[in-house]
PDB file of all heavy atoms in Angstrom:
ATOM      1  N   ALA A  20       5.739  22.021 -16.134  1.00  0.00           N
ATOM      2  CA  ALA A  20       6.513  23.236 -15.861  1.00  0.00           C
ATOM      3  C   ALA A  20       7.564  23.452 -16.948  1.00  0.00           C
ATOM      4  O   ALA A  20       7.766  24.571 -17.422  1.00  0.00           O
ATOM      5  CB  ALA A  20       7.168  23.152 -14.487  1.00  0.00           C
ATOM      6  N   ALA A  21       8.228  22.400 -17.365  1.00  0.00           N
ATOM      7  CA  ALA A  21       9.247  22.516 -18.405  1.00  0.00           C
ATOM      8  C   ALA A  21       8.618  22.939 -19.725  1.00  0.00           C
ATOM      9  O   ALA A  21       9.159  23.778 -20.451  1.00  0.00           O
ATOM     10  CB  ALA A  21       9.991  21.192 -18.563  1.00  0.00           C
ATOM     11  N   THR A  22       7.464  22.374 -20.041  1.00  0.00           N
ATOM     12  CA  THR A  22       6.768  22.737 -21.274  1.00  0.00           C
ATOM     13  C   THR A  22       6.341  24.196 -21.238  1.00  0.00           C
ATOM     14  O   THR A  22       6.478  24.921 -22.218  1.00  0.00           O
ATOM     15  CB  THR A  22       5.535  21.835 -21.480  1.00  0.00           C
ATOM     16  OG1 THR A  22       5.970  20.479 -21.502  1.00  0.00           O
ATOM     17  CG2 THR A  22       4.830  22.160 -22.775  1.00  0.00           C
ATOM     18  N   GLY A  23       5.837  24.637 -20.092  1.00  0.00           N
ATOM     19  CA  GLY A  23       5.426  26.039 -19.948  1.00  0.00           C
ATOM     20  C   GLY A  23       6.590  26.987 -20.127  1.00  0.00           C
ATOM     21  O   GLY A  23       6.479  28.022 -20.777  1.00  0.00           O
ATOM     22  N   THR A  24       7.754  26.632 -19.578  1.00  0.00           N
ATOM     23  CA  THR A  24       8.944  27.475 -19.724  1.00  0.00           C
ATOM     24  C   THR A  24       9.385  27.526 -21.180  1.00  0.00           C
ATOM     25  O   THR A  24       9.686  28.587 -21.708  1.00  0.00           O
ATOM     26  CB  THR A  24      10.088  26.932 -18.844  1.00  0.00           C
ATOM     27  OG1 THR A  24       9.641  26.911 -17.496  1.00  0.00           O
ATOM     28  CG2 THR A  24      11.325  27.787 -18.963  1.00  0.00           C
ATOM     29  N   ALA A  25       9.398  26.367 -21.831  1.00  0.00           N
ATOM     30  CA  ALA A  25       9.791  26.331 -23.238  1.00  0.00           C
ATOM     31  C   ALA A  25       8.823  27.145 -24.079  1.00  0.00           C
ATOM     32  O   ALA A  25       9.223  27.880 -24.982  1.00  0.00           O
ATOM     33  CB  ALA A  25       9.843  24.886 -23.735  1.00  0.00           C
ATOM     34  N   PHE A  26       7.539  27.034 -23.785  1.00  0.00           N
ATOM     35  CA  PHE A  26       6.531  27.797 -24.525  1.00  0.00           C
ATOM     36  C   PHE A  26       6.738  29.290 -24.326  1.00  0.00           C
ATOM     37  O   PHE A  26       6.675  30.065 -25.277  1.00  0.00           O
ATOM     38  CB  PHE A  26       5.124  27.387 -24.076  1.00  0.00           C
ATOM     39  CG  PHE A  26       4.043  28.123 -24.803  1.00  0.00           C
ATOM     40  CD1 PHE A  26       3.736  27.830 -26.116  1.00  0.00           C
ATOM     41  CD2 PHE A  26       3.333  29.137 -24.179  1.00  0.00           C
ATOM     42  CE1 PHE A  26       2.743  28.510 -26.792  1.00  0.00           C
ATOM     43  CE2 PHE A  26       2.344  29.829 -24.844  1.00  0.00           C
ATOM     44  CZ  PHE A  26       2.051  29.505 -26.155  1.00  0.00           C
ATOM     45  N   ALA A  27       7.000  29.706 -23.082  1.00  0.00           N
ATOM     46  CA  ALA A  27       7.211  31.129 -22.800  1.00  0.00           C
ATOM     47  C   ALA A  27       8.441  31.648 -23.538  1.00  0.00           C
ATOM     48  O   ALA A  27       8.433  32.745 -24.081  1.00  0.00           O
ATOM     49  CB  ALA A  27       7.350  31.359 -21.300  1.00  0.00           C
ATOM     50  N   GLN A  28       9.498  30.843 -23.592  1.00  0.00           N
ATOM     51  CA  GLN A  28      10.703  31.255 -24.310  1.00  0.00           C
ATOM     52  C   GLN A  28      10.430  31.358 -25.806  1.00  0.00           C
ATOM     53  O   GLN A  28      10.855  32.301 -26.465  1.00  0.00           O
ATOM     54  CB  GLN A  28      11.837  30.263 -24.049  1.00  0.00           C
ATOM     55  CG  GLN A  28      12.401  30.345 -22.648  1.00  0.00           C
ATOM     56  CD  GLN A  28      13.409  29.252 -22.362  1.00  0.00           C
ATOM     57  OE1 GLN A  28      13.494  28.264 -23.093  1.00  0.00           O
ATOM     58  NE2 GLN A  28      14.161  29.426 -21.296  1.00  0.00           N
ATOM     59  N   GLN A  29       9.703  30.395 -26.337  1.00  0.00           N
ATOM     60  CA  GLN A  29       9.369  30.413 -27.761  1.00  0.00           C
ATOM     61  C   GLN A  29       8.483  31.614 -28.080  1.00  0.00           C
ATOM     62  O   GLN A  29       8.680  32.300 -29.078  1.00  0.00           O
ATOM     63  CB  GLN A  29       8.660  29.122 -28.152  1.00  0.00           C
ATOM     64  CG  GLN A  29       8.306  29.058 -29.631  1.00  0.00           C
ATOM     65  CD  GLN A  29       7.583  27.769 -29.974  1.00  0.00           C
ATOM     66  OE1 GLN A  29       7.137  27.033 -29.104  1.00  0.00           O
ATOM     67  NE2 GLN A  29       7.455  27.489 -31.249  1.00  0.00           N
ATOM     68  N   GLU A  30       7.512  31.887 -27.218  1.00  0.00           N
ATOM     69  CA  GLU A  30       6.610  33.013 -27.432  1.00  0.00           C
ATOM     70  C   GLU A  30       7.385  34.333 -27.411  1.00  0.00           C
ATOM     71  O   GLU A  30       7.156  35.221 -28.217  1.00  0.00           O
ATOM     72  CB  GLU A  30       5.531  33.013 -26.340  1.00  0.00           C
ATOM     73  CG  GLU A  30       4.379  33.935 -26.630  1.00  0.00           C
ATOM     74  CD  GLU A  30       3.286  33.750 -25.583  1.00  0.00           C
ATOM     75  OE1 GLU A  30       3.504  34.146 -24.430  1.00  0.00           O
ATOM     76  OE2 GLU A  30       2.236  33.211 -25.948  1.00  0.00           O
ATOM     77  N   GLY A  31       8.341  34.449 -26.487  1.00  0.00           N
ATOM     78  CA  GLY A  31       9.176  35.650 -26.416  1.00  0.00           C
ATOM     79  C   GLY A  31      10.011  35.820 -27.671  1.00  0.00           C
ATOM     80  O   GLY A  31      10.156  36.925 -28.193  1.00  0.00           O
ATOM     81  N   ALA A  32      10.554  34.728 -28.173  1.00  0.00           N
ATOM     82  CA  ALA A  32      11.358  34.791 -29.395  1.00  0.00           C
ATOM     83  C   ALA A  32      10.496  35.211 -30.575  1.00  0.00           C
ATOM     84  O   ALA A  32      10.914  36.002 -31.417  1.00  0.00           O
ATOM     85  CB  ALA A  32      12.012  33.436 -29.668  1.00  0.00           C
ATOM     86  N   LEU A  33       9.284  34.676 -30.647  1.00  0.00           N
ATOM     87  CA  LEU A  33       8.386  35.048 -31.737  1.00  0.00           C
ATOM     88  C   LEU A  33       7.988  36.515 -31.644  1.00  0.00           C
ATOM     89  O   LEU A  33       7.853  37.186 -32.660  1.00  0.00           O
ATOM     90  CB  LEU A  33       7.138  34.161 -31.734  1.00  0.00           C
ATOM     91  CG  LEU A  33       7.366  32.711 -32.137  1.00  0.00           C
ATOM     92  CD1 LEU A  33       6.095  31.888 -31.954  1.00  0.00           C
ATOM     93  CD2 LEU A  33       7.863  32.617 -33.562  1.00  0.00           C
ATOM     94  N   ALA A  34       7.797  37.024 -30.444  1.00  0.00           N
ATOM     95  CA  ALA A  34       7.451  38.437 -30.284  1.00  0.00           C
ATOM     96  C   ALA A  34       8.583  39.309 -30.788  1.00  0.00           C
ATOM     97  O   ALA A  34       8.371  40.310 -31.461  1.00  0.00           O
ATOM     98  CB  ALA A  34       7.139  38.745 -28.825  1.00  0.00           C
ATOM     99  N   GLY A  35       9.816  38.928 -30.482  1.00  0.00           N
ATOM    100  CA  GLY A  35      10.972  39.684 -30.972  1.00  0.00           C
ATOM    101  C   GLY A  35      11.066  39.622 -32.485  1.00  0.00           C
ATOM    102  O   GLY A  35      11.357  40.604 -33.151  1.00  0.00           O
ATOM    103  N   ALA A  36      10.785  38.464 -33.040  1.00  0.00           N
ATOM    104  CA  ALA A  36      10.815  38.311 -34.496  1.00  0.00           C
ATOM    105  C   ALA A  36       9.728  39.145 -35.139  1.00  0.00           C
ATOM    106  O   ALA A  36       9.913  39.721 -36.207  1.00  0.00           O
ATOM    107  CB  ALA A  36      10.649  36.844 -34.874  1.00  0.00           C
TER     108      ALA A  36
END
Side-chain angles (χ1 to χ4, degrees):
T22 303
T24 301
F26 180 74
Q28 288 173 345
Q29 181 181 13
E30 193 173 70
L33 290 174

